[in-house]
Amino acid sequence: GGGGGGGGCHPCSMRNSYTVTLPEEPPVSPFHSVPKDLRAKMPMPGSLLVSTFVGLVLNKAKNSKAVQGLTGLRNLGNTCFMNSILQCLSNTKELRDYCLQNQYLRDLNNNSRMHMALMAEFAKLIQMLWTSPPNESVSPSEFKTQIQRYAPRFVGYNQQDAQEFLRFLLDGLHSEVNRVLVRPKASTDNLDHLPDDEKGRQMWMKYLDREDSRIGDLFVGQLKSSLTCGACGYCSTAFDPFWDLSLPIAKKSYGEVNLIDCMRLFTKEDVLDGDEKPTCCRCKARTKCTKKFSIQRFPKILVLHLKRFSEARMRSSKLTTFVNFPLKDLDLREFASQSCNHAIYNLYAVSNHSGTTMGGHYTAYCKNPVSGEWHAFNDSRVTPLSSSHVRSSDAYLLFYELASPSSRM
Protein backbone atom coordinates (compact mmCIF):
# COMPACT_ATOMS: atom_id res chain seq x y z
CA GLY A 1 0.00 0.00 0.00
CA GLY A 2 1.12 3.48 0.79
CA GLY A 3 0.26 6.89 -0.57
CA GLY A 4 -1.70 9.06 1.77
CA GLY A 5 -3.50 12.32 1.96
CA GLY A 6 -2.37 15.43 0.24
CA GLY A 7 -3.83 17.75 2.80
CA GLY A 8 -1.45 20.35 4.01
CA CYS A 9 0.54 20.96 0.88
CA HIS A 10 -1.51 23.78 -0.56
CA PRO A 11 -1.64 26.84 1.70
CA CYS A 12 -4.26 28.36 -0.57
CA SER A 13 -7.37 29.93 0.82
CA MET A 14 -10.70 28.71 -0.46
CA ARG A 15 -10.68 27.61 -4.07
CA ASN A 16 -7.82 29.40 -5.74
CA SER A 17 -5.62 26.34 -5.90
CA TYR A 18 -4.46 26.29 -9.48
CA THR A 19 -0.79 26.13 -10.29
CA VAL A 20 1.37 28.76 -11.86
CA THR A 21 4.76 27.28 -12.64
CA LEU A 22 7.72 29.48 -11.78
CA PRO A 23 11.29 28.72 -12.77
CA GLU A 24 13.28 27.65 -9.72
CA GLU A 25 17.04 27.61 -10.14
CA PRO A 26 18.95 28.95 -13.12
CA PRO A 27 19.21 26.25 -15.78
CA VAL A 28 22.39 24.22 -16.06
CA SER A 29 23.71 22.47 -19.13
CA PRO A 30 23.66 18.66 -19.03
CA PHE A 31 26.66 18.53 -21.40
CA HIS A 32 28.99 20.13 -18.89
CA SER A 33 32.04 18.15 -19.94
CA VAL A 34 31.56 18.46 -23.69
CA PRO A 35 33.27 21.27 -25.60
CA LYS A 36 30.74 23.66 -27.09
CA ASP A 37 31.55 22.95 -30.74
CA LEU A 38 30.93 19.22 -30.28
CA ARG A 39 27.53 19.50 -28.69
CA ALA A 40 25.63 20.01 -31.92
CA LYS A 41 27.35 17.05 -33.56
CA MET A 42 26.67 14.50 -30.82
CA PRO A 43 24.53 11.75 -32.31
CA MET A 44 21.66 10.37 -30.25
CA PRO A 45 23.13 6.91 -29.61
CA GLY A 46 20.89 4.04 -30.53
CA SER A 47 17.80 6.21 -30.58
CA LEU A 48 16.94 5.30 -34.16
CA LEU A 49 17.50 1.66 -33.38
CA VAL A 50 15.21 1.83 -30.35
CA SER A 51 12.46 3.65 -32.20
CA THR A 52 12.60 1.11 -35.04
CA PHE A 53 12.45 -1.70 -32.50
CA VAL A 54 9.53 -0.12 -30.62
CA GLY A 55 7.80 0.44 -33.96
CA LEU A 56 8.23 -3.22 -34.90
CA VAL A 57 6.97 -4.45 -31.54
CA LEU A 58 3.93 -2.16 -31.68
CA ASN A 59 3.23 -3.22 -35.24
CA LYS A 60 3.46 -6.86 -34.29
CA ALA A 61 1.16 -6.16 -31.34
CA LYS A 62 -1.43 -4.60 -33.63
CA ASN A 63 -1.57 -7.75 -35.72
CA SER A 64 -1.63 -10.15 -32.79
CA LYS A 65 -4.51 -10.47 -30.36
CA ALA A 66 -2.49 -9.24 -27.39
CA VAL A 67 -3.18 -5.65 -26.40
CA GLN A 68 -0.06 -3.84 -25.25
CA GLY A 69 0.17 -1.39 -22.38
CA LEU A 70 -1.23 -3.79 -19.79
CA THR A 71 2.01 -4.10 -17.86
CA GLY A 72 2.09 -3.62 -14.09
CA LEU A 73 4.58 -1.52 -12.11
CA ARG A 74 6.30 -3.02 -9.10
CA ASN A 75 5.82 -1.27 -5.78
CA LEU A 76 9.22 -0.15 -4.49
CA GLY A 77 7.85 0.52 -0.99
CA ASN A 78 4.90 2.93 -0.63
CA THR A 79 5.28 3.98 -4.28
CA CYS A 80 1.70 3.22 -5.31
CA PHE A 81 1.05 6.99 -5.65
CA MET A 82 3.74 7.08 -8.36
CA ASN A 83 2.58 3.89 -10.09
CA SER A 84 -0.99 5.16 -10.26
CA ILE A 85 0.04 8.41 -11.99
CA LEU A 86 2.47 6.66 -14.34
CA GLN A 87 -0.29 4.35 -15.58
CA CYS A 88 -2.63 7.31 -16.15
CA LEU A 89 0.10 9.03 -18.19
CA SER A 90 0.96 5.82 -20.04
CA ASN A 91 -2.64 5.78 -21.30
CA THR A 92 -2.54 9.44 -22.37
CA LYS A 93 -2.35 8.69 -26.08
CA GLU A 94 -0.41 11.71 -27.37
CA LEU A 95 2.10 11.58 -24.52
CA ARG A 96 2.52 7.83 -25.04
CA ASP A 97 3.21 8.37 -28.76
CA TYR A 98 5.67 11.18 -27.97
CA CYS A 99 7.65 8.64 -25.93
CA LEU A 100 7.18 5.54 -28.11
CA GLN A 101 8.20 7.31 -31.30
CA ASN A 102 11.13 8.99 -29.54
CA GLN A 103 9.91 12.41 -30.64
CA TYR A 104 11.15 13.80 -27.33
CA LEU A 105 14.78 13.37 -28.47
CA ARG A 106 14.39 16.30 -30.87
CA ASP A 107 13.13 18.51 -28.06
CA LEU A 108 15.63 17.76 -25.28
CA ASN A 109 17.32 21.03 -24.43
CA ASN A 110 20.71 21.58 -22.83
CA ASN A 111 19.02 23.99 -20.51
CA SER A 112 17.21 21.84 -18.03
CA ARG A 113 18.29 22.02 -14.41
CA MET A 114 20.76 19.68 -12.81
CA HIS A 115 21.83 17.56 -15.82
CA MET A 116 18.58 15.68 -15.82
CA ALA A 117 17.55 12.49 -17.52
CA LEU A 118 13.96 12.55 -16.29
CA MET A 119 12.34 12.68 -19.73
CA ALA A 120 14.60 9.92 -21.03
CA GLU A 121 13.85 7.63 -18.07
CA PHE A 122 10.12 8.41 -18.30
CA ALA A 123 10.12 7.58 -22.02
CA LYS A 124 12.08 4.38 -21.38
CA LEU A 125 9.51 3.33 -18.78
CA ILE A 126 6.58 4.06 -21.11
CA GLN A 127 8.35 2.01 -23.82
CA MET A 128 8.73 -0.88 -21.36
CA LEU A 129 5.05 -0.66 -20.41
CA TRP A 130 4.05 -0.87 -24.08
CA THR A 131 6.48 -3.55 -25.28
CA SER A 132 6.50 -6.05 -22.39
CA PRO A 133 4.55 -9.28 -22.82
CA PRO A 134 1.14 -9.40 -21.08
CA ASN A 135 1.07 -10.21 -17.35
CA GLU A 136 4.59 -8.94 -16.80
CA SER A 137 5.49 -6.14 -14.43
CA VAL A 138 8.42 -3.76 -14.64
CA SER A 139 10.34 -1.89 -11.96
CA PRO A 140 10.30 1.92 -12.09
CA SER A 141 13.45 2.22 -9.95
CA GLU A 142 15.62 4.11 -12.50
CA PHE A 143 12.76 6.51 -13.07
CA LYS A 144 12.36 6.98 -9.31
CA THR A 145 16.06 7.86 -9.04
CA GLN A 146 15.59 10.65 -11.58
CA ILE A 147 12.38 12.10 -10.09
CA GLN A 148 14.13 12.19 -6.70
CA ARG A 149 16.97 14.22 -8.18
CA TYR A 150 14.44 16.60 -9.67
CA ALA A 151 12.17 16.78 -6.62
CA PRO A 152 13.98 15.64 -3.44
CA ARG A 153 10.68 15.44 -1.54
CA PHE A 154 10.14 12.07 -3.23
CA VAL A 155 13.30 10.60 -1.72
CA GLY A 156 12.68 7.66 0.56
CA TYR A 157 9.58 5.59 0.92
CA ASN A 158 7.02 7.81 2.59
CA GLN A 159 3.43 8.11 1.53
CA GLN A 160 3.00 10.94 -0.96
CA ASP A 161 0.13 12.73 -2.59
CA ALA A 162 -0.53 11.66 -6.19
CA GLN A 163 -1.63 15.10 -7.34
CA GLU A 164 1.56 16.72 -6.00
CA PHE A 165 3.57 14.02 -7.71
CA LEU A 166 1.79 14.62 -11.02
CA ARG A 167 2.54 18.35 -10.84
CA PHE A 168 6.23 17.84 -10.10
CA LEU A 169 6.57 15.19 -12.79
CA LEU A 170 4.89 17.24 -15.54
CA ASP A 171 6.88 20.31 -14.53
CA GLY A 172 10.12 18.32 -14.71
CA LEU A 173 9.31 16.75 -18.08
CA HIS A 174 8.23 20.15 -19.42
CA SER A 175 11.45 21.86 -18.34
CA GLU A 176 13.59 19.26 -20.14
CA VAL A 177 11.75 19.59 -23.45
CA ASN A 178 10.89 23.30 -23.25
CA ARG A 179 11.36 24.73 -26.76
CA VAL A 180 12.28 28.08 -25.23
CA LEU A 181 16.02 28.08 -24.64
CA VAL A 182 16.40 31.73 -23.67
CA ARG A 183 13.52 33.24 -21.74
CA PRO A 184 12.75 36.83 -22.72
CA LYS A 185 12.96 39.49 -20.00
CA ALA A 186 9.64 39.86 -18.25
CA SER A 187 7.84 42.77 -19.87
CA THR A 188 5.80 45.17 -17.82
CA ASP A 189 3.33 46.17 -20.56
CA ASN A 190 0.01 47.07 -19.06
CA LEU A 191 -2.71 45.22 -20.96
CA ASP A 192 -5.60 46.50 -18.87
CA HIS A 193 -6.85 48.81 -21.63
CA LEU A 194 -7.49 45.84 -23.94
CA PRO A 195 -10.79 43.92 -24.21
CA ASP A 196 -10.69 40.82 -21.98
CA ASP A 197 -10.36 38.25 -24.74
CA GLU A 198 -7.50 40.15 -26.38
CA LYS A 199 -5.80 40.58 -23.03
CA GLY A 200 -6.18 36.84 -22.41
CA ARG A 201 -4.71 36.06 -25.83
CA GLN A 202 -1.70 38.33 -25.26
CA MET A 203 -1.11 36.90 -21.77
CA TRP A 204 -1.18 33.42 -23.34
CA MET A 205 1.38 34.44 -25.99
CA LYS A 206 3.60 35.87 -23.22
CA TYR A 207 3.35 32.58 -21.36
CA LEU A 208 4.31 30.62 -24.50
CA ASP A 209 7.31 32.93 -25.01
CA ARG A 210 8.68 31.40 -21.81
CA GLU A 211 7.06 27.99 -21.42
CA ASP A 212 6.44 26.04 -24.62
CA SER A 213 6.67 22.25 -24.79
CA ARG A 214 4.84 19.22 -26.06
CA ILE A 215 3.90 18.48 -22.44
CA GLY A 216 2.39 21.95 -22.08
CA ASP A 217 0.62 21.59 -25.45
CA LEU A 218 -1.34 18.76 -23.89
CA PHE A 219 -1.96 19.74 -20.28
CA VAL A 220 -1.95 23.53 -19.91
CA GLY A 221 -5.10 25.62 -20.01
CA GLN A 222 -5.77 29.23 -19.05
CA LEU A 223 -7.90 30.40 -16.16
CA LYS A 224 -9.50 33.82 -15.97
CA SER A 225 -10.23 35.42 -12.61
CA SER A 226 -12.39 38.53 -12.42
CA LEU A 227 -12.42 40.82 -9.40
CA THR A 228 -15.31 43.27 -9.15
CA CYS A 229 -15.17 46.12 -6.66
CA GLY A 230 -18.31 46.40 -4.51
CA ALA A 231 -17.77 50.14 -4.08
CA CYS A 232 -17.14 51.45 -7.61
CA GLY A 233 -18.04 48.42 -9.75
CA TYR A 234 -14.63 48.32 -11.49
CA CYS A 235 -13.77 44.84 -12.79
CA SER A 236 -10.13 43.79 -13.05
CA THR A 237 -9.13 40.55 -14.74
CA ALA A 238 -6.14 38.23 -14.43
CA PHE A 239 -5.20 35.29 -16.65
CA ASP A 240 -3.13 32.39 -15.37
CA PRO A 241 -1.96 29.11 -16.89
CA PHE A 242 -3.07 25.94 -15.10
CA TRP A 243 -1.92 22.32 -15.31
CA ASP A 244 -4.92 20.98 -13.40
CA LEU A 245 -7.93 22.32 -11.52
CA SER A 246 -8.51 21.55 -7.84
CA LEU A 247 -12.24 21.29 -7.29
CA PRO A 248 -13.90 21.61 -3.89
CA ILE A 249 -16.36 18.80 -3.26
CA ALA A 250 -19.90 20.14 -3.20
CA LYS A 251 -22.11 19.24 -0.26
CA LYS A 252 -25.74 18.31 -0.72
CA SER A 253 -28.40 17.56 1.84
CA TYR A 254 -30.02 15.10 -0.56
CA GLY A 255 -29.19 13.42 -3.85
CA GLU A 256 -25.74 12.59 -5.11
CA VAL A 257 -23.00 15.08 -5.79
CA ASN A 258 -22.13 15.51 -9.45
CA LEU A 259 -18.85 16.64 -11.01
CA ILE A 260 -20.68 19.63 -12.51
CA ASP A 261 -21.73 20.66 -8.96
CA CYS A 262 -18.04 20.73 -8.02
CA MET A 263 -17.18 22.77 -11.14
CA ARG A 264 -19.96 25.24 -10.29
CA LEU A 265 -18.65 25.55 -6.74
CA PHE A 266 -15.14 26.18 -8.08
CA THR A 267 -16.33 28.91 -10.45
CA LYS A 268 -19.03 30.51 -8.31
CA GLU A 269 -18.74 34.13 -7.19
CA ASP A 270 -16.95 34.52 -3.87
CA VAL A 271 -17.20 37.59 -1.69
CA LEU A 272 -13.83 38.82 -0.41
CA ASP A 273 -14.39 40.81 2.77
CA GLY A 274 -12.72 41.46 6.11
CA ASP A 275 -9.08 40.32 6.09
CA GLU A 276 -9.41 39.17 2.50
CA LYS A 277 -10.37 42.55 1.07
CA PRO A 278 -8.21 43.32 -1.95
CA THR A 279 -7.18 46.81 -3.01
CA CYS A 280 -9.27 48.24 -5.83
CA CYS A 281 -6.98 49.95 -8.33
CA ARG A 282 -9.64 52.51 -9.12
CA CYS A 283 -10.74 53.36 -5.54
CA LYS A 284 -7.10 53.07 -4.36
CA ALA A 285 -8.46 51.49 -1.18
CA ARG A 286 -9.21 48.05 0.21
CA THR A 287 -12.81 47.29 -0.64
CA LYS A 288 -15.24 44.42 -0.47
CA CYS A 289 -15.01 42.60 -3.82
CA THR A 290 -16.46 39.60 -5.59
CA LYS A 291 -14.13 37.12 -7.28
CA LYS A 292 -15.06 34.65 -10.00
CA PHE A 293 -13.17 32.05 -12.03
CA SER A 294 -13.92 31.01 -15.59
CA ILE A 295 -11.96 29.02 -18.17
CA GLN A 296 -10.40 31.10 -20.92
CA ARG A 297 -8.67 28.21 -22.70
CA PHE A 298 -9.54 24.55 -22.41
CA PRO A 299 -6.55 22.19 -22.48
CA LYS A 300 -6.42 19.05 -24.64
CA ILE A 301 -6.02 17.00 -21.48
CA LEU A 302 -7.97 18.29 -18.48
CA VAL A 303 -6.93 16.93 -15.10
CA LEU A 304 -9.56 17.52 -12.41
CA HIS A 305 -8.45 17.05 -8.81
CA LEU A 306 -11.20 16.32 -6.29
CA LYS A 307 -10.12 17.95 -3.03
CA ARG A 308 -10.74 15.03 -0.71
CA PHE A 309 -8.01 15.90 1.78
CA SER A 310 -8.11 18.78 4.21
CA GLU A 311 -5.92 19.79 7.12
CA ALA A 312 -7.76 20.89 10.22
CA ARG A 313 -5.62 21.61 13.29
CA MET A 314 -2.89 19.20 12.24
CA ARG A 315 -5.28 16.30 11.86
CA SER A 316 -5.86 15.68 8.19
CA SER A 317 -9.20 14.30 7.18
CA LYS A 318 -10.54 12.76 4.00
CA LEU A 319 -13.91 13.26 2.32
CA THR A 320 -15.25 10.00 0.97
CA THR A 321 -18.20 11.62 -0.81
CA PHE A 322 -19.22 9.79 -3.97
CA VAL A 323 -18.93 12.26 -6.84
CA ASN A 324 -20.70 11.15 -9.98
CA PHE A 325 -18.73 11.96 -13.14
CA PRO A 326 -19.47 11.15 -16.79
CA LEU A 327 -17.28 8.76 -18.75
CA LYS A 328 -18.32 10.48 -21.98
CA ASP A 329 -19.44 13.94 -23.06
CA LEU A 330 -18.56 16.05 -20.04
CA ASP A 331 -19.82 19.41 -21.29
CA LEU A 332 -17.97 22.35 -19.73
CA ARG A 333 -19.16 25.10 -22.08
CA GLU A 334 -21.04 26.88 -19.28
CA PHE A 335 -17.66 27.57 -17.59
CA ALA A 336 -16.06 29.18 -20.63
CA SER A 337 -15.26 32.89 -20.28
CA GLN A 338 -15.63 33.44 -24.03
CA SER A 339 -17.97 31.76 -26.49
CA CYS A 340 -16.58 28.31 -27.10
CA ASN A 341 -17.74 25.29 -29.07
CA HIS A 342 -15.09 22.83 -28.04
CA ALA A 343 -15.33 22.00 -24.37
CA ILE A 344 -16.67 18.45 -24.46
CA TYR A 345 -14.46 15.89 -22.74
CA ASN A 346 -14.22 12.10 -22.49
CA LEU A 347 -12.71 10.33 -19.50
CA TYR A 348 -9.77 7.99 -20.07
CA ALA A 349 -8.09 7.55 -16.66
CA VAL A 350 -8.72 7.88 -12.93
CA SER A 351 -6.25 7.88 -10.06
CA ASN A 352 -8.00 6.39 -7.01
CA HIS A 353 -7.15 6.72 -3.33
CA SER A 354 -8.65 4.15 -0.98
CA GLY A 355 -8.37 4.04 2.81
CA THR A 356 -7.63 6.85 5.22
CA THR A 357 -5.14 9.70 5.19
CA MET A 358 -2.86 7.73 7.48
CA GLY A 359 -2.76 4.45 5.63
CA GLY A 360 -4.12 4.59 2.13
CA HIS A 361 -3.47 3.01 -1.24
CA TYR A 362 -3.47 4.36 -4.78
CA THR A 363 -4.61 2.52 -7.89
CA ALA A 364 -5.47 3.60 -11.43
CA TYR A 365 -8.35 2.82 -13.76
CA CYS A 366 -7.33 3.44 -17.39
CA LYS A 367 -8.97 3.09 -20.78
CA ASN A 368 -6.54 1.54 -23.23
CA PRO A 369 -6.01 3.94 -26.17
CA VAL A 370 -5.72 1.00 -28.61
CA SER A 371 -8.57 -1.30 -27.54
CA GLY A 372 -10.81 1.20 -25.77
CA GLU A 373 -11.17 -1.30 -22.89
CA TRP A 374 -10.87 -0.30 -19.21
CA HIS A 375 -8.39 -1.98 -16.85
CA ALA A 376 -7.54 -1.63 -13.17
CA PHE A 377 -3.84 -1.08 -12.41
CA ASN A 378 -2.92 -2.01 -8.85
CA ASP A 379 0.88 -1.83 -8.73
CA SER A 380 2.03 -5.01 -10.51
CA ARG A 381 -1.50 -6.38 -10.96
CA VAL A 382 -3.50 -5.45 -14.06
CA THR A 383 -7.07 -6.72 -14.41
CA PRO A 384 -9.93 -6.02 -16.85
CA LEU A 385 -12.54 -3.61 -15.52
CA SER A 386 -16.14 -3.10 -16.55
CA SER A 387 -16.81 0.53 -17.46
CA SER A 388 -19.68 0.49 -14.96
CA HIS A 389 -17.09 0.11 -12.17
CA VAL A 390 -14.99 3.12 -13.11
CA ARG A 391 -16.91 5.53 -10.86
CA SER A 392 -16.32 5.14 -7.14
CA SER A 393 -15.92 7.22 -4.01
CA ASP A 394 -12.16 6.55 -4.23
CA ALA A 395 -11.79 8.67 -7.40
CA TYR A 396 -9.18 11.37 -6.70
CA LEU A 397 -7.81 12.61 -10.05
CA LEU A 398 -9.85 12.50 -13.25
CA PHE A 399 -8.09 12.59 -16.62
CA TYR A 400 -10.29 13.89 -19.44
CA GLU A 401 -9.44 14.29 -23.11
CA LEU A 402 -10.96 16.98 -25.32
CA ALA A 403 -13.38 15.27 -27.68
CA SER A 404 -13.99 17.52 -30.65
CA PRO A 405 -11.44 19.18 -32.91
CA SER A 406 -9.72 21.75 -30.78
CA SER A 407 -10.47 25.40 -31.43
CA ARG A 408 -7.38 26.60 -29.62
CA MET A 409 -5.96 29.71 -31.23
Side-chain angles (χ1 to χ4, degrees):
C9 317
H10 307 295
C12 300
S13 66
M14 300 179 315
R15 301 192 315 275
N16 48 343
S17 52
Y18 51 89
T19 317
V20 181
T21 311
L22 297 170
E24 285 167 33
E25 303 131 45
V28 205
S29 160
F31 296 102
H32 49 103
S33 55
V34 181
K36 207 176 178 70
D37 54 355
L38 282 179
R39 282 181 206 168
K41 301 192 187 96
M42 287 173 73
M44 285 295 177
S47 62
L48 196 64
L49 195 69
V50 174
S51 69
T52 313
F53 169 70
V54 172
L56 282 171
V57 173
L58 285 177
N59 216 17
K60 184 163 154 271
K62 254 186 213 134
N63 304 333
S64 74
K65 283 275 180 283
V67 171
Q68 306 290 110
L70 302 179
T71 307
L73 286 165
R74 273 172 234 147
N75 192 318
L76 308 173
N78 277 344
T79 54
C80 58
F81 68 93
M82 178 174 86
N83 291 349
S84 167
I85 292 300
L86 287 170
Q87 295 291 5
C88 292
L89 293 178
S90 170
N91 287 279
T92 302
K93 189 179 183 311
E94 289 190 49
L95 181 59
R96 176 200 79 141
D97 293 348
Y98 185 61
C99 295
L100 290 186
Q101 296 160 13
N102 279 303
Q103 297 164 8
Y104 75 93
L105 289 172
R106 293 193 304 254
D107 297 335
L108 284 174
N109 58 52
N110 305 356
N111 253 10
S112 54
R113 310 163 233 196
M114 302 174 9
H115 325 310
M116 279 300 152
L118 184 61
M119 183 73 227
E121 281 303 338
F122 175 77
K124 205 159 92 189
L125 192 56
I126 298 295
Q127 291 173 2
M128 280 159 71
L129 290 177
W130 281 89
T131 53
S132 298
N135 308 320
E136 289 227 343
S137 64
V138 298
S139 165
S141 57
E142 275 96 356
F143 168 80
K144 184 174 190 284
T145 304
Q146 289 304 328
I147 192 78
Q148 288 174 172
R149 291 179 63 194
Y150 178 76
R153 70 175 56 204
F154 298 114
V155 167
Y157 298 95
N158 293 334
Q159 302 196 21
Q160 300 281 356
D161 179 54
Q163 185 234 3
E164 286 232 313
F165 175 75
L166 175 66
R167 284 187 177 176
F168 273 96
L169 173 54
L170 291 180
D171 184 58
L173 297 176
H174 160 78
S175 71
E176 291 194 13
V177 292
N178 192 351
R179 302 173 184 118
V180 178
L181 298 180
V182 180
R183 287 199 173 95
K185 287 198 171 65
S187 72
T188 50
D189 310 346
N190 190 331
L191 302 175
D192 290 343
H193 60 285
L194 296 171
D196 278 0
D197 288 350
E198 180 56 27
K199 179 179 173 184
R201 203 183 67 81
Q202 294 211 17
M203 290 297 289
W204 182 252
M205 298 319 288
K206 281 186 173 197
Y207 173 70
L208 291 184
D209 284 344
R210 307 175 69 80
E211 308 292 344
D212 182 17
S213 74
R214 188 65 183 278
I215 312 294
D217 292 345
L218 294 175
F219 290 92
V220 181
Q222 190 183 32
L223 197 66
K224 173 183 181 178
S225 51
S226 313
L227 209 57
T228 308
C229 172
C232 74
Y234 177 70
C235 179
S236 65
T237 55
F239 295 90
D240 291 294
F242 67 85
W243 288 78
D244 58 23
L245 296 176
S246 289
L247 307 182
I249 294 179
K251 291 178 180 46
K252 276 190 172 173
S253 47
Y254 63 93
E256 67 182 12
V257 174
N258 206 301
L259 185 60
I260 290 289
D261 299 326
C262 301
M263 278 296 296
R264 285 181 184 142
L265 187 53
F266 173 75
T267 54
K268 87 172 173 51
E269 277 199 349
D270 251 346
V271 177
L272 303 182
D273 202 359
D275 290 346
E276 294 186 314
K277 274 191 214 171
T279 302
C280 168
C281 44
R282 189 167 283 174
C283 296
K284 302 279 188 271
R286 290 185 69 189
T287 57
K288 180 173 162 180
C289 290
T290 55
K291 180 179 186 179
K292 185 170 170 47
F293 286 135
S294 56
I295 298 176
Q296 185 74 11
R297 268 173 178 276
F298 287 91
K300 281 185 184 168
I301 302 295
L302 177 65
V303 180
L304 297 176
H305 163 228
L306 298 174
K307 288 168 79 175
R308 295 198 175 277
F309 300 105
S310 65
E311 288 276 321
R313 295 207 188 82
M314 295 307 292
R315 212 179 70 230
S316 63
S317 60
K318 182 185 173 189
L319 288 171
T320 53
T321 314
F322 174 76
V323 176
N324 196 353
F325 49 88
L327 273 58
K328 284 196 174 75
D329 300 331
L330 169 67
D331 187 347
L332 298 180
R333 284 176 294 192
E334 69 174 272
F335 306 105
S337 45
Q338 46 183 349
S339 67
C340 158
N341 305 323
H342 298 306
I344 314 277
Y345 284 88
N346 295 325
L347 186 78
Y348 70 90
V350 183
S351 174
N352 303 296
H353 181 272
S354 58
T356 62
T357 50
M358 301 320 288
H361 182 59
Y362 282 98
T363 58
Y365 294 161
C366 305
K367 186 180 173 186
N368 187 287
V370 180
S371 70
E373 301 288 330
W374 285 89
H375 290 81
F377 293 82
N378 183 352
D379 289 331
S380 48
R381 290 197 299 287
V382 182
T383 46
L385 182 76
S386 150
S387 62
S388 60
H389 289 153
V390 171
R391 298 180 188 90
S392 80
S393 53
D394 289 341
Y396 182 49
L397 292 168
L398 306 174
F399 289 73
Y400 278 98
E401 184 174 27
L402 196 60
S404 44
S406 165
S407 63
R408 300 175 81 197
M409 294 171 276

